[in-house]
Amino acid sequence: MRLKSMSLQRKRSMLGFVFIAPWLVGFLFLYLTPLIQSLMFSFTDLVIQPDGYSLEPVGFENFRNAILVDANFNRVITDSVGQMLISVPMILFFSLFSATLLNQKFRGRTLARAIFFLPVILASNAISSAEQAGLINLIGSGAYLNEMEAELSSYNVTSIVYMLLDVGLPRSFVDYIVSAILGIYDIITSSGVQILIFLAALQAVPSSMYEVAKMEGATAYECFWKITFPMVSPLILTNIIYTIIDSFTSSPVTTLIYSVAFETQNFGLSAAMSWIYTIVVALVLIIIGLVLSRKIHYN
Amino acid sequence: MSKSLMDDSYYRKQKAMQRFFDVVYSIFRALLVIGISFIIIYPILQKIAVAFKDKTDIYNPTIYMIPVHFTWENVQLAMGILDYFPMLGKTLLFVVITTLLTAASCALTGYGFARFNFPGNQLLFTFVIMTILVPSTTLMLPYYLHFKNFDFLGIISLFTGKSGVNLINTYWPSIITSATAIGLKAGLFIYIFRQFFKGLPKEIEEASLIDGAGGIQTFFRIMLPNAIPPIITVVLFCFVWQYNDTFYTTLFMNGMELMSLKVSTLSSQANQFIPTLMGYAHGSGFKADPNHVAMVVDTGILLAIAPLILMYLVVQRYFVESIERTGIVG
């Protein structure tokens, strides 16, 4: 037996490989290989043939086409990244707010929690696309849909806009607030998991800290900013990352990349687009990570 | 004497103020909670109202939410179009299989990363994080081609002589990816398990090793029974996400009968189906009333989420409790 001749430490580390074996096999053959293939496709022209496919190298042609030639790609990707940057702070703010709310003691808290986490279950692309299709069918054309949605979803916000502008808030901030009010349903429905994570973090804060603060005469406001906020701050980064990667699956970029590949059969272009998207998202994540990791309090 | 009286009245006044603010705050809080809950529940209530509404009530402007004429017709129609119960059975079978496989493979992997110091542990775990962060769109195309001509290390072509088997439109692509822990959001689940196992005391394992259990036996007999919270979390989330997923299902199983796929194309199907049901031949130019179609679509969506809501009513408290105990918060 060779196993016998190994030292105990070697044996342990071999056992570690046994445990991660399923993942390792999957990672090598079903993740790393496709990833490299996808990179290869983005530099080639791929043609599907009866028995597999053939590749023809074209250099950076696909990337050039994606950025300079394709009519939609630039617009869609800037739109969706912009949308992501706008909605992330809102979702974060709302989920921290709801988590603090749900962490307090009041009658009917269990019911309130159950309702607040309902969106975790119901956040589904299938349902939203069915709803959209139903609405298009109702109106008769997709062209009016965006206008209609803006009309339907809201009550009149003009008075709020005037009020906030009169107070002297800057224009861009007012716009942001208004878009938050109009999109409140989307914000609420996409912050279920984030509320869960924040709530778990809040419950992990030792109650002795609050007791001490209360003895020393701290107000609830001070307690929040001096104890709660620093204690949950590591989870803010987690939640930002989660929110960003959660937006991938429903993002219009994904739909565009899918349709370029399987409807227009331009596989190389689709691969190039998905790599550009990956790089953009990675850049956003790295920048956010670098900025925030300095401000986070780790205990 | 007078001083203590003054103190007393001051104290009482303070206390009254405090109580006043407490009451105001709790009213404010109740309003907020009720408002947000209403926003979340309203669409569901609306769909329930629509599902039992008769066609004649569509154009009655005096009706808000509660219909005048109750009917099961919409539910029957939507069930007919969706082929509801057979499809629900297939969907649940698929979702349960992939969920169990994902939980099993992710638990193994998470334990491996948490407790063994093999060379490259750190590097490989970085790759796990990478699988979470890279958008799955990047892998869409190679996945498709890969499973269209599936062949593992050339074994299949060795035996059959063909260049691989076509696994598109079968359950296999999802089963294979979940068994190898790289399926839908599997990286996240590995992370959850790793964090949890790292938090368990090392002494438990050492005791079992001293008592003569092997590494694998220790895992199944000692570590797994202790890991109920993360298992519940992973199983719940995996179930829900698999049930709702459209990305992998459209990619791998576009022609198959699964809930998420059927529901997303419900509107066009209802448009085709309703005229034939009403006795008009196909292609006679008759178009179903769009409002009626919308009613059926709403009912279909309600039917699709009904199993999840039923499940949620039973297990909702585990959602919060288990996530608190998984140690994902560190």
Side-chain angles (χ1 to χ4, degrees):
Chain A
M1 284 281 280
R2 254 194 69 218
L3 216 64
K4 277 262 160 68
S5 64
M6 281 189 217
S7 73
L8 189 65
Q9 223 166 7
R10 275 293 292 283
K11 256 201 256 177
R12 280 290 282 177
S13 71
M14 289 318 284
L15 199 61
F17 275 113
V18 172
F19 274 109
I20 66 159
W23 173 81
L24 198 61
V25 170
F27 177 74
L28 289 179
F29 294 100
L30 294 169
Y31 197 90
L32 206 59
T33 326
L35 202 68
I36 293 165
Q37 269 178 330
S38 160
L39 192 61
M40 230 163 64
F41 292 165
S42 66
F43 291 105
T44 52
D45 191 14
L46 188 149
V47 183
I48 295 255
Q49 275 158 1
D51 53 337
Y53 51 85
S54 70
L55 295 171
E56 219 173 277
V58 289
F60 280 93
E61 188 69 12
N62 287 322
F63 287 92
R64 210 180 63 82
N65 279 345
I67 295 174
L68 297 176
V69 179
D70 192 276
N72 290 320
F73 184 65
N74 280 335
R75 185 175 55 78
V76 171
I77 199 166
T78 36
D79 269 9
S80 72
V81 171
Q83 193 62 42
M84 193 172 78
L85 291 180
I86 290 174
S87 65
V88 162
M90 288 184 196
I91 290 174
L92 218 61
F93 178 80
F94 177 77
S95 50
L96 184 55
F97 177 79
S98 320
T100 13
L101 208 62
L102 291 177
N103 198 31
Q104 292 165 359
K105 283 203 173 66
F106 56 89
R107 211 176 292 166
R109 183 172 75 162
T110 329
L111 183 69
R113 281 188 181 180
I115 293 170
F116 272 60
F117 303 136
L118 204 57
V120 177
I121 287 179
L122 304 182
S124 152
N125 290 324
I127 291 166
S128 61
S129 70
E131 271 171 349
Q132 191 127 354
L135 209 53
I136 289 177
N137 183 49
L138 198 62
I139 305 160
S141 126
Y144 298 113
L145 192 62
N146 288 333
E147 272 176 61
M148 275 284 293
E149 267 181 347
E151 297 266 314
L152 277 174
S153 69
S154 60
Y155 69 118
N156 201 344
V157 288
T158 351
S159 56
I160 295 181
V161 173
Y162 281 124
M163 204 171 80
L164 290 175
L165 283 175
D166 277 349
V167 173
L169 292 172
R171 178 81 198 245
S172 52
F173 186 69
V174 174
D175 283 347
Y176 189 74
I177 297 275
V178 167
S179 70
I181 294 171
L182 291 181
I184 188 79
Y185 181 71
D186 291 326
I187 294 172
I188 291 177
T189 50
S190 49
S191 44
V193 175
Q194 289 87 332
I195 296 176
L196 265 179
I197 294 175
F198 272 139
L199 194 60
L202 286 177
Q203 311 224 306
V205 180
S207 59
S208 56
M209 280 193 172
Y210 292 109
E211 279 159 22
V212 170
K214 218 171 185 181
M215 298 268 271
E216 302 283 349
T219 60
Y221 181 82
E222 283 166 337
C223 275
F224 180 81
W225 287 109
K226 300 273 162 84
I227 300 174
T228 314
F229 193 73
M231 290 300 279
V232 300
S233 64
L235 273 304
I236 290 177
L237 187 60
T238 314
N239 268 338
I240 289 178
I241 292 173
Y242 181 81
T243 313
I244 291 175
I245 58 176
D246 196 41
S247 68
F248 292 158
T249 39
S250 57
S251 126
V253 182
T254 310
T255 327
L256 179 73
I257 292 171
Y258 186 84
S259 74
V260 166
F262 294 101
E263 278 158 32
T264 51
Q265 307 275 319
N266 201 337
F267 297 107
L269 181 62
S270 153
M273 282 177 176
S274 60
W275 274 99
I276 295 172
Y277 185 45
T278 310
I279 291 165
V280 169
V281 169
L283 281 179
V284 171
L285 284 178
I286 288 170
I287 291 168
I288 289 175
L290 282 181
V291 171
L292 281 184
S293 60
R294 287 183 195 171
K295 313 222 155 160
I296 286 173
H297 162 90
Y298 288 104
N299 46 321
Chain B
M1 175 77 197
S2 70
K3 192 162 184 296
S4 86
L5 247 177
M6 236 173 75
D7 268 2
D8 202 38
S9 79
Y10 172 76
Y11 179 70
R12 234 182 267 165
K13 216 168 147 189
Q14 276 285 56
K15 206 166 183 190
M17 283 278 277
Q18 189 70 41
R19 288 209 33 200
F20 174 72
F21 279 121
D22 277 355
V23 169
V24 168
Y25 177 68
S26 61
I27 291 171
F28 175 68
R29 183 173 57 196
L31 280 178
L32 261 178
V33 170
I34 292 169
I36 295 170
S37 305
F38 176 74
I39 293 178
I40 295 169
I41 289 188
Y42 178 69
I44 300 173
L45 291 181
Q46 209 178 21
K47 286 196 180 66
I48 294 174
V50 165
F52 296 106
K53 203 196 265 184
D54 195 79
K55 258 188 299 183
T56 48
D57 283 3
I58 294 177
Y59 295 107
N60 185 345
T62 59
I63 290 177
Y64 177 73
M65 295 296 261
I66 301 166
V68 176
H69 303 92
F70 281 93
T71 173
W72 286 98
E73 197 189 317
N74 292 322
V75 179
Q76 282 164 352
L77 253 180
M79 278 194 174
I81 295 170
L82 285 172
D83 193 14
Y84 188 67
F85 286 109
M87 187 196 51
L88 182 65
K90 283 180 211 163
T91 310
L92 285 182
L93 181 72
F94 168 72
V95 172
V96 167
I97 290 175
T98 47
T99 302
L100 292 181
L101 282 174
T102 308
S105 57
C106 290
L108 283 172
T109 315
Y111 181 64
F113 277 120
R115 277 300 158 84
F116 294 95
N117 260 328
F118 49 86
N121 185 325
Q122 295 285 329
L123 179 73
L124 287 175
F125 192 69
T126 321
F127 283 135
V128 173
I129 302 297
M130 189 182 86
T131 63
I132 304 176
L133 296 183
V134 172
S136 36
T137 346
T138 322
L139 296 167
M140 187 171 70
L141 198 54
Y143 265 170
Y144 183 78
L145 296 171
H146 196 70
F147 285 113
K148 204 157 181 284
N149 282 307
F150 184 75
D151 200 352
F152 184 72
L153 293 175
I155 292 170
I156 290 166
S157 66
L158 199 69
F159 283 109
T160 59
K162 283 186 220 149
S163 66
V165 275
N166 186 354
L167 293 182
I168 296 295
N169 280 337
T170 63
Y171 291 143
W172 288 110
S174 291
I175 290 180
I176 291 170
T177 49
S178 36
T180 51
I182 47 160
L184 184 67
K185 304 210 184 186
L188 200 62
F189 300 141
I190 294 177
Y191 181 77
I192 290 175
F193 274 117
R194 177 183 179 260
Q195 292 299 95
F196 180 81
F197 284 125
K198 277 210 138 172
L200 284 184
K202 266 215 160 86
E203 286 76 15
I204 306 178
E205 272 168 306
E206 279 163 8
S208 93
L209 285 177
I210 286 168
D211 284 348
I216 290 166
Q217 204 184 355
T218 309
F219 176 70
F220 284 105
R221 298 278 294 274
I222 310 290
M223 298 310 268
L224 263 195
N226 275 313
I228 300 295
I231 290 175
I232 291 175
T233 312
V234 167
V235 165
L236 286 178
F237 277 98
C238 192
F239 185 90
V240 169
W241 283 333
Q242 285 282 0
Y243 189 92
N244 284 331
D245 172 54
T246 48
F247 180 78
Y248 285 103
T249 43
T250 37
L251 189 60
F252 293 145
M253 298 175 276
N254 215 350
M256 290 190 71
E257 307 230 307
L258 285 176
M259 190 66 87
S260 56
L261 292 175
K262 283 283 240 179
V263 165
S264 52
T265 56
L266 188 61
S267 156
S268 56
Q269 291 204 19
N271 254 333
Q272 283 182 350
F273 199 67
I274 290 173
T276 21
L277 260 191
M278 288 168 73
Y280 294 90
H282 192 68
S284 64
F286 177 82
K287 279 190 85 174
D289 180 355
N291 278 311
H292 188 208
V293 173
M295 263 166 77
V296 176
V297 170
D298 271 359
T299 315
I301 293 172
L302 191 69
L303 285 175
I305 59 178
L308 285 182
I309 291 181
L310 284 181
M311 182 198 83
Y312 184 66
L313 288 179
V314 181
V315 300
Q316 58 86 11
R317 68 197 183 90
Y318 296 112
F319 258 84
V320 188
E321 283 177 11
S322 64
I323 251 205
E324 277 159 19
R325 277 186 266 146
T326 45
I328 195 176
V329 295

